[in-house]
Amino acid sequence: MKKNILLLALIILFGEFVDAQSFMKGPYLLYPNNNTQMTVMWQLDASATSTISWGITKMYGNSKSVAEFGTDHQFEYTISGLNPATKYFYKVEAAGTVKIDSFYTAVADNDTNLSFYIYGDTRAHPEIQNNVTGRILTEINRDTASQTFCLITGDCVTHGRTESDWQDQFFNPFYSNNENLKAIVPFLIARGNHENYNSTYSSGKATVFYKYWPYSFASNSTNGNDMYYSFDYGPVHIAVLDQYNSGSYSPGKVSSTELSWLKTDLENTNKPWKFILLHEPGWTASSNSKSEHKNNVDVQNNIQPLCVKYGVQAVFGGHNHYYAHCLVDSVHHFTLGGGGAPLYSPSYTSGGVVIKAESAYHFMKVDINKNYAVLKVIRPDGTIIETINLALPTNSIINVSNKYKINVYPNPSKGKIVVDINDYKKG
C-alpha cells in the first residue's frame, strides 16, 4: 500500500518527467509555406510505433501511422488537404503516451489582417524563456486570431552543435510554456552565431539546428548551411537571412549569392508588408563597448539599401540581449534579444538613430489591419515597453504600381518619397 502511495506521489510530482521518457521533443510545428498544410515533428527516446490523428474537432476523423526517419527516432508528418484559416486539432500517440494540441492553418493569400510574435536569444535559460512564452500564450488565449506563427531571432541554445543543449535548453519538457507554444504555432528561426558552436565554442556548420528545423523551402539548404529562406503569410512577405553561411563566427555577413537571392526575392514579391528576420542587427543601442555587440556593417552597407529600394518596413534582429528600436531612412530596425539569455545594458537610449532601448526580457506582437500595423513590445508581466504604428503608402500608389513596374521608397516615409518607374508590366 505504501509503495502504491509513493508511486502515485512521484507521478503527480514528476508527471512531465515520466511523460518525457517516451517523447524527448515535441510534438512541434513547422510551417510548410502552404496554407493548406502543416508539418508536425517529434522525437522519441527509443523506437516505437507512432500515430498522428487530426480534424476540425477532437473526434479527429483522420489518422496516419508514421515511421521514424534518420538514426535518432525522429518523426515528421505533413498534414495536407486542409482549409486555410481553420483551426485543427491533432493528436500524436506513441509508446502509450498521447499528446493533444491544435493549430491554425495560414490565412488566405488575399487576407489583409494578420497577427504574429517575435522573440529570441534564449540560450541556457529556459526558465526565463518560460516566462516570455507564458505571456505569449496568454496573448493567444485572449486573441485566438494570433495563433499563427512565431519568428525567432536566433541563439536558441548556447552550443548549437551539442545535442544535449537542444534537449536541456530549448526542448526541456519541464518548462511547459515553451513546449506548449511550439506545439500550437510554428517557429521560423534565423540562425544565430551560437547555432554554430560546439561545446568548446569552435564554429562550424549548424548540423543539429538543421536536424530539428529542416525548413523545406530554405534556399540551397544542405545539412545546416545556407539556412536562408522567405515565405508569404496573408499580407506579409518575410525574408529570413543566414548571416553565418560558412559556419562562421560573428560578425555575421551574407554571401554574395544570398545577397543576390534577397534582391530578387524582394523585387518579385507583391505583398504590401515586407519584413526581414536576421540575427545581427545593422543598428542597435550599442556604443561598441566590450559588453555589447557592435552594429553590423554588412547589414548597413548591403541589406539596408535593398530595404529602402523595395519598401521593407522593418528588420527584426537580436544578438544584443535587450530591446532597441532604431530608425534609419524610414526603415525600422529592432533588436529583440530579450528571450532569456543574460541581459545587457544598452549604452544609450536616445540621440542618433535610437528611438527607444531598454534592458528587459520581452517579445513583440505584430498586428496588421489592412494598411496599418501596430507593433507592441511586451514584458513578461504584460506591461508595454513601446508601441510602434506603421502605415502603408496610399492606395492610389499601390494600384498604379500593380499595373506598372514601379518602386516607391522609402516606405514608410517621413514626407519625401522616390517613385522609380520602369517598363509597363506585360500580361
Side-chain angles (χ1 to χ4, degrees):
M1 183 66 176
K2 286 184 178 179
K3 275 188 175 182
N4 292 337
I5 294 173
L6 178 60
L7 179 59
L8 179 60
L10 287 171
I11 291 174
I12 293 172
L13 184 59
F14 298 108
E16 292 190 66
F17 177 77
V18 172
D19 191 27
Q21 295 309 294
S22 56
F23 279 85
M24 292 182 66
K25 296 179 180 67
Y28 61 100
L29 304 177
L30 266 71
Y31 177 55
N33 202 17
N34 189 315
N35 60 11
T36 65
Q37 298 179 345
M38 184 61 76
T39 298
V40 185
M41 293 192 70
W42 63 97
Q43 183 186 36
L44 306 179
D45 66 349
S47 294
T49 301
S50 279
T51 302
I52 185 169
S53 305
W54 69 93
I56 59 174
T57 71
K58 289 187 179 179
M59 296 296 291
Y60 305 108
N62 304 278
S63 186
K64 180 73 175 180
S65 178
V66 184
E68 65 179 66
F69 70 91
T71 59
D72 204 10
H73 314 302
Q74 284 185 273
F75 296 79
E76 178 179 353
Y77 186 76
T78 298
I79 305 171
S80 302
L82 307 177
N83 296 319
T86 302
K87 183 174 183 177
Y88 287 88
F89 296 92
Y90 73 97
K91 174 177 66 174
V92 178
E93 301 174 82
T97 300
V98 179
K99 299 275 191 172
I100 298 174
D101 284 292
S102 70
F103 61 81
Y104 277 85
T105 47
V107 297
D109 292 335
N110 62 352
D111 206 318
T112 58
N113 293 355
L114 177 66
S115 298
F116 62 92
Y117 299 90
I118 315 167
Y119 74 97
D121 290 84
T122 53
R123 283 171 43 182
H125 290 278
E127 75 284 359
I128 299 174
Q129 182 188 1
N130 202 58
N131 295 329
V132 174
T133 55
R135 177 53 58 175
I136 295 176
L137 289 170
T138 298
E139 294 288 330
I140 290 174
N141 287 334
R142 188 162 49 200
D143 175 16
T144 56
S146 68
Q147 189 181 340
T148 53
F149 62 88
C150 193
L151 301 180
I152 306 295
T153 63
D155 280 5
C156 301
V157 298
T158 304
H159 308 105
R161 291 162 63 202
T162 302
E163 281 278 357
S164 59
D165 274 25
W166 286 97
Q167 186 62 48
D168 297 340
Q169 297 174 15
F170 207 67
F171 287 100
N172 192 320
F174 283 109
Y175 300 102
S176 59
N177 293 336
N178 298 342
E179 294 305 283
N180 290 341
L181 185 61
K182 288 193 289 290
I184 68 168
V185 297
F187 279 23
L188 293 127
I189 306 172
R191 173 164 50 152
N193 53 295
H194 278 263
E195 269 67 74
N196 293 342
Y197 295 153
N198 63 14
S199 59
T200 61
Y201 287 92
S202 294
S203 192
K205 290 185 179 181
T207 53
V208 185
F209 171 62
Y210 181 76
K211 174 181 176 180
Y212 294 115
W213 306 100
Y215 299 114
S216 60
F217 48 97
S219 299
N220 303 315
S221 179
T222 53
N223 201 24
N225 215 23
D226 297 311
M227 290 293 291
Y228 56 91
Y229 54 94
S230 66
F231 65 96
D232 292 337
Y233 202 108
V236 306
H237 178 80
I238 299 176
V240 182
L241 301 188
D242 184 353
Q243 296 170 295
Y244 312 98
N245 283 329
S246 61
S248 61
Y249 176 67
S250 180
K253 182 178 181 179
V254 300
S255 66
S256 58
T257 301
E258 183 177 353
L259 190 64
S260 177
W261 166 86
L262 178 62
K263 179 182 182 297
T264 302
D265 180 73
L266 294 175
E267 191 174 51
N268 290 333
T269 183
N270 60 1
K271 295 296 182 180
W273 293 97
K274 293 177 279 291
F275 302 125
I276 289 177
L277 177 73
L278 43 70
H279 184 62
E280 293 190 27
W283 287 270
T284 184
S286 171
S287 64
N288 297 337
S289 69
K290 292 182 179 179
S291 63
E292 297 171 274
H293 297 295
K294 300 177 181 180
N295 294 336
N296 186 284
V297 176
D298 180 60
V299 173
Q300 294 182 353
N301 294 339
N302 295 315
I303 295 171
Q304 171 71 2
L306 297 181
C307 293
V308 173
K309 183 173 183 178
Y310 296 110
V312 174
Q313 291 92 357
V315 180
F316 307 116
H319 206 40
N320 277 325
H321 305 161
Y322 50 59
Y323 170 68
H325 172 201
C326 301
L327 183 62
V328 183
D329 293 331
S330 298
V331 181
H332 296 264
H333 292 262
F334 294 99
T335 302
L336 302 169
L343 292 174
Y344 299 166
S345 295
S347 298
Y348 58 90
T349 58
S350 62
V353 299
V354 181
I355 304 297
K356 176 76 175 178
E358 181 177 317
S359 179
Y361 295 111
H362 64 274
F363 64 92
M364 175 181 281
K365 183 184 181 187
V366 178
D367 291 307
I368 295 173
N369 185 351
K370 297 181 181 177
N371 294 339
Y372 300 93
V374 178
L375 285 57
K376 288 186 178 180
V377 185
I378 306 171
R379 303 181 187 92
D381 64 3
T383 56
I384 306 297
I385 296 177
E386 187 181 19
T387 299
I388 302 97
N389 295 289
L390 303 180
L392 291 176
T394 62
N395 287 330
S396 59
I397 292 293
I398 294 174
N399 291 335
V400 171
S401 65
N402 285 334
K403 185 176 181 181
Y404 296 90
K405 190 175 181 182
I406 294 178
N407 293 317
V408 181
Y409 56 91
N411 175 21
S413 171
K414 294 180 178 179
K416 180 180 179 181
I417 63 172
V418 175
V419 180
D420 182 7
I421 303 177
N422 295 305
D423 295 334
Y424 178 81
K425 286 185 178 179
K426 297 180 181 179

